Amino acid sequence: MTNLITFHAISNLVVHGTGTIDGQGEIWWDCYNKARCTRPYLLEFVGCSNLVLRHISLKDSPNKHLAFSSCTNLTIHAVTITAPGNSPNTDGIVMQDCQNVQITGCMIGTGDDCIAILTNTYNVDISRISCGPGHGISIGSLGKDNTVAAVERIHIHDSTIYNALTGARIKTWQGGSGYAKNITYERISMANVTTPIVIDQTYYTLEVSTDVAISDIVFKDIHGTTTEKVAIKLDCSSIVPCKELVFDDVTLTRIGDDQTAYATSQNAYGITNGTIIPSIHFD
């Protein structure tokens, strides 16, 4: 389906301005929920390079709000993206096959991932993001339909995630292959997040013999609150376990009278440094 706005194969472009691009998505969400239609993205950039977006506002996309595919050297600054928390799959920023990306100072609240980093994407720096509501800042999902994933050198830091389903999340499909590695989440504040830290290698469970390999993942200086008992969920593959995980100075407490939260871990290997609440028991 054609997107509402698409820029294709343009170099040295600056998109800057005030006002709001309104996707008027509510009618699309209703027909999607009733399985009656497919939906366009609000704004997509395909095959662009040396691209700058700043101070633009997007709202109520029919589908994803701001998507990048096969782009290099991107700067995204002070972008505002909003949609209701119950709007279906209205991710804020999605990127695939992109390299050398900087995202700073954005305010994003939608019905899905605030930011989603998909395959063949590397050298990404994300900072000073205000995310909520939504599904946090995610790597993936990766490996759908037996595809090969490649994501590395991702740094997500100095940001706030609140009123969200998940916070820092890595999600892969069984049956895929490839890797997600050298990923750091640090100096992240969580507030009222259902599951603040998630690695899910069984995003969809299948009877398969391959999985996307997850390694060299750091969660450092992450503090805040969860609404549920399980604050940290490491659900890794028995075929390709998660390796080289590092948890350093992580404190997550449960909202309410009983502030006890828990961590669950299977097929995960790593180390802990400093104060870790809840405690993690690696395999």
Side-chain angles (χ1 to χ4, degrees):
M1 172 174 284
T2 301
N3 300 310
L4 297 184
I5 304 171
T6 301
F7 291 85
H8 186 267
I10 301 175
S11 298
N12 304 310
L13 174 68
V14 176
V15 180
H16 169 82
T18 59
T20 299
I21 303 174
D22 187 346
Q24 302 182 48
E26 187 172 359
I27 189 171
W28 294 90
W29 307 332
D30 181 64
C31 75
Y32 172 79
N33 287 331
K34 295 176 181 177
R36 293 178 178 173
C37 62
T38 56
R39 303 167 296 157
Y41 294 176
L42 180 52
L43 175 59
E44 185 171 26
F45 295 84
V46 180
C48 296
S49 63
N50 301 321
L51 172 65
V52 176
L53 275 74
R54 59 185 181 223
H55 300 288
I56 67 171
S57 295
L58 309 175
K59 67 173 291 187
D60 294 348
S61 175
N63 197 333
K64 319 300 185 190
H65 281 80
L66 179 57
F68 301 90
S69 179
S70 302
C71 294
T72 59
N73 301 326
L74 312 179
T75 299
I76 304 161
H77 175 66
V79 169
T80 299
I81 299 173
T82 57
N86 63 352
S87 56
N89 303 114
T90 53
D91 303 56
I93 299 174
V94 179
M95 63 189 76
Q96 178 170 303
D97 191 26
C98 292
Q99 296 82 43
N100 306 326
V101 179
Q102 184 177 68
I103 305 174
T104 63
C106 296
M107 297 182 62
I108 305 172
T110 68
D112 211 300
D113 297 324
C114 290
I115 300 174
I117 299 169
L118 306 181
T119 192
N120 199 27
T121 298
Y122 56 84
N123 288 347
V124 178
D125 188 275
I126 298 171
S127 66
R128 296 186 293 113
I129 304 300
S130 175
C131 168
H135 296 181
I137 301 175
S138 297
I139 310 299
S141 60
L142 303 174
K144 185 177 181 180
D145 297 327
N146 302 317
T147 54
V148 179
V151 173
E152 61 181 311
R153 301 192 297 279
I154 311 296
H155 190 198
I156 300 159
H157 58 102
D158 300 289
S159 295
T160 300
I161 301 172
Y162 61 95
N163 298 341
L165 178 67
T166 53
R169 179 167 65 161
I170 301 172
K171 48 184 177 175
T172 69
W173 290 64
Q174 289 190 313
S177 59
Y179 61 84
K181 63 183 180 181
N182 193 358
I183 297 164
T184 297
Y185 288 88
E186 65 176 325
R187 297 187 299 278
I188 308 292
S189 175
M190 306 274 191
N192 198 39
V193 177
T194 302
T195 313
I197 297 176
V198 180
I199 297 179
D200 186 359
Q201 279 186 289
T202 57
Y203 186 58
Y204 277 84
T205 303
L206 305 167
E207 295 297 328
V208 296
S209 59
T210 59
D211 273 313
V212 177
I214 295 175
S215 65
D216 188 13
I217 312 297
V218 176
F219 300 96
K220 181 178 181 180
D221 194 9
I222 297 178
H223 304 276
T225 57
T226 175
T227 60
E228 300 293 334
K229 291 182 178 180
V230 177
I232 300 171
K233 181 180 179 182
L234 309 177
D235 189 3
C236 297
S237 165
S238 60
I239 302 165
V240 185
C242 300
K243 298 179 179 180
E244 301 175 65
L245 306 183
V246 176
F247 283 77
D248 186 348
D249 191 18
V250 175
T251 302
L252 298 165
T253 58
R254 189 181 177 194
I255 295 172
D257 295 334
D258 181 2
Q259 294 187 329
T260 303
Y262 301 91
T264 62
S265 174
Q266 64 175 359
N267 305 313
Y269 298 87
I271 62 172
T272 60
N273 298 313
T275 300
I276 306 296
I277 300 174
S279 60
I280 302 170
H281 302 285
F282 290 115
D283 291 327

